[in-house]
Amino acid sequence: NISPAGIILDANQACGEMGGYELSEFVGKNGLHLPYVPKKSKAILISKLALILKKKDIKPFCLDIVHKNGQRKIAEVSTSLIEVRGQIRGIQVVARDVTERKKAQEDLSVSEEKYRALIDQAMAGVGIFDGTKLIFVNKKMADLFGYDVPNEMIGINVKKTLTSESY
């Protein structure tokens, strides 16, 4: 939990472990002035805290943090306002280390780009079907069937295009 002024009031051990710090190294201090919060993340935090204090709902967001050992990590942050009798008392902050998940997503994206480039440049026509409907074709397949662009073939039912002996 943090105060409306940004002072870290309390935290659990997992929070400390995510950044490699002992709780005593950051509880009681302003979260914006700590070494594990890079400049870009500080700017994001300031804008998000301002919205929260204006009682705006915000969706979870990601922040870069720097582990005490210098390793960069990504934290997914969720927040909620703490109010008592209509008065703002603080902000509850929940942060999860999503570094590995983000890395896996990035690796998957790179792999998909390589796969797409391979299929798009293939010398053979490639089509992917959902039942009997085309959901993907490469340029070569479109050329083989006389289409200018592959997207013109998406959704075509092959039963209406090919002879029954073809499928």
Side-chain angles (χ1 to χ4, degrees), residues 2 14 17 34 42-43 58 62 98 106 133 152 156 158 161 166:
I2 63 172
E17 289 170 4
L34 296 173
K42 284 180 187 179
I58 62 168
C62 288
V98 294
E106 189 176 296
K133 287 193 176 185
E152 292 177 339
I156 290 177
V158 293
T161 306
S166 299

Side-chain angles (χ1 to χ4, degrees), residues 12-71:
N12 62 17
Q13 192 61 42
C15 182
E17 289 170 4
M18 185 167 43
Y21 291 88
E22 296 294 324
L23 296 180
S24 61
E25 293 180 88
F26 62 91
V27 171
K29 296 179 173 69
N30 188 312
L32 297 174
H33 302 297
L34 296 173
Y36 60 80
V37 183
K39 282 184 182 182
K40 181 180 174 186
S41 291
K42 284 180 187 179
I44 293 169
L45 267 177
I46 289 168
S47 68
K48 297 293 185 182
L49 292 176
L51 290 172
I52 295 163
L53 291 172
K54 290 178 183 175
K55 299 184 180 185
K56 305 282 185 189
D57 287 330
I58 62 168
K59 294 179 181 178
F61 56 96
C62 288
L63 287 177
D64 290 333
I65 62 169
V66 180
H67 191 277
K68 195 173 190 177
N69 67 11
Q71 179 184 17

Side-chain angles (χ1 to χ4, degrees), residues 14-154:
C15 182
E17 289 170 4
M18 185 167 43
Y21 291 88
E22 296 294 324
L23 296 180
S24 61
E25 293 180 88
F26 62 91
V27 171
K29 296 179 173 69
N30 188 312
L32 297 174
H33 302 297
L34 296 173
Y36 60 80
V37 183
K39 282 184 182 182
K40 181 180 174 186
S41 291
K42 284 180 187 179
I44 293 169
L45 267 177
I46 289 168
S47 68
K48 297 293 185 182
L49 292 176
L51 290 172
I52 295 163
L53 291 172
K54 290 178 183 175
K55 299 184 180 185
K56 305 282 185 189
D57 287 330
I58 62 168
K59 294 179 181 178
F61 56 96
C62 288
L63 287 177
D64 290 333
I65 62 169
V66 180
H67 191 277
K68 195 173 190 177
N69 67 11
Q71 179 184 17
R72 292 209 171 264
K73 292 191 171 224
I74 302 169
E76 182 181 73
V77 180
S78 300
T79 60
S80 59
L81 197 59
I82 300 170
E83 289 186 274
V84 177
R85 293 185 193 94
Q87 255 193 339
I88 297 171
R89 297 290 184 187
I91 302 167
Q92 182 178 28
V93 179
V94 177
R96 294 185 310 142
D97 184 349
V98 294
T99 307
E100 292 302 316
R101 184 183 82 195
K102 291 288 188 177
K103 170 92 171 82
Q105 288 172 336
E106 189 176 296
D107 290 348
L108 179 60
S109 179
V110 168
S111 177
E112 287 173 345
E113 286 175 28
K114 287 179 183 177
Y115 172 77
R116 181 167 296 277
L118 178 68
I119 295 299
D120 286 345
Q121 301 302 316
M123 297 303 292
V126 178
I128 300 174
F129 298 88
D130 182 5
T132 59
K133 287 193 176 185
L134 280 166
I135 59 171
F136 172 85
V137 296
N138 68 353
K139 178 73 171 128
K140 184 66 173 181
M141 178 71 89
D143 290 344
L144 288 170
F145 283 89
Y147 289 89
D148 292 327
V149 292
N151 283 346
E152 292 177 339
M153 293 186 69
I154 303 303

